[in-house]
Amino acid sequence: MKRATLVLPVLIAIFALSAFAGENGRKPKGKEEKQAGPCVGSAEFERLKTLVGRWESEMPMPGGGKGAMTTVATEYRVAANGSVIVERNFPDTPKEMISVYHDRGGRLWMTHYCAKGNQPQMSLAKSTDGVIALELVEGSLDSPDESHMHSVSIAFNGPDAMSQTWTMYENGKETMAHTMTYRRVR
């Protein structure tokens, strides 16, 4: 009697697991994984993946006097099974900003988490062999008049050299464009 009491729950568990798993231990039809390997995206997205690592640039030191320079960093890493690229500008500083690049409908998109406290979304505006340019998607800010990063252009200047040009807008007009030239340090 004890043996039958033990065997019955085990058989029920095996039956339940096999019904969930489907044939040959696979998930039932319609429940297949979307992609078995790492995500492969648009040509622009895959190009951005080549930036993985740490990059440094020299820029004028605020309040440092004429000719005073400081080193700033940007880091890139791939996450979420290759479906996003995380960019950290000024990592580990109070002004750290994060941009997350991903494909949506086969087109490159980015959300920029700015030190200004807003999150402009940008999508691919132009792509050439050497430059990827993204521009603001209307409606991604609380107000189009607020000060925000409106566009970014990334120029690939060699395997260990690149530059970024960030353009800021306020009240519908460009207020600043700043280019930083980077070298890969790892």
Side-chain angles (χ1 to χ4, degrees):
M1 184 70 172
K2 284 185 179 184
R3 180 175 252 182
T5 321
L6 180 62
V7 170
L8 186 59
V10 169
L11 287 174
I12 292 172
I14 290 171
F15 176 75
L17 286 174
S18 66
F20 173 75
E23 272 186 53
N24 300 323
R26 285 187 242 131
K27 291 181 182 180
K29 287 191 177 207
K31 302 289 184 183
E32 296 295 324
E33 294 271 334
K34 187 173 181 180
Q35 186 163 336
C39 178
V40 176
S42 65
E44 294 81 11
F45 184 78
E46 293 303 310
R47 183 80 189 264
L48 285 174
K49 284 182 180 179
T50 67
L51 298 177
V52 168
R54 183 177 175 92
W55 298 76
E56 290 183 352
S57 178
E58 296 292 317
M59 67 182 286
M61 184 181 299
K66 187 175 182 175
M69 302 294 280
T70 186
T71 300
V72 296
T74 294
E75 297 174 345
Y76 291 88
R77 68 181 178 88
V78 175
N81 195 34
S83 66
V84 300
I85 300 163
V86 180
E87 173 188 73
R88 293 174 63 207
N89 289 318
F90 314 115
D92 304 318
T93 71
K95 298 280 186 184
E96 178 176 81
M97 293 176 276
I98 295 176
S99 298
V100 179
Y101 298 84
H102 66 282
D103 274 346
R104 183 182 298 167
R107 183 183 182 109
L108 183 64
W109 283 67
M110 181 260 275
T111 301
H112 176 67
Y113 298 89
C114 191
K116 291 184 164 291
N118 55 26
Q119 302 82 36
Q121 291 183 338
M122 301 178 202
S123 69
L124 183 67
K126 182 180 176 183
S127 176
T128 65
D129 285 342
V131 178
I132 294 173
L134 296 106
E135 288 187 4
L136 183 74
V137 174
E138 283 189 38
S140 67
L141 296 170
D142 291 338
S143 166
D145 292 333
E146 71 181 288
S147 179
H148 65 276
M149 287 300 172
H150 192 82
S151 63
V152 63
S153 177
I154 302 169
F156 297 82
N157 304 322
D160 296 319
M162 65 108 171
S163 60
Q164 297 179 340
T165 301
W166 289 87
T167 305
M168 185 180 295
Y169 272 49
E170 188 169 1
N171 296 318
K173 296 180 183 168
E174 182 179 323
T175 57
M176 179 199 80
H178 183 72
T179 300
M180 295 175 30
T181 302
Y182 287 92
R183 69 187 181 292
R184 188 188 307 263
V185 293
R186 67 172 169 173

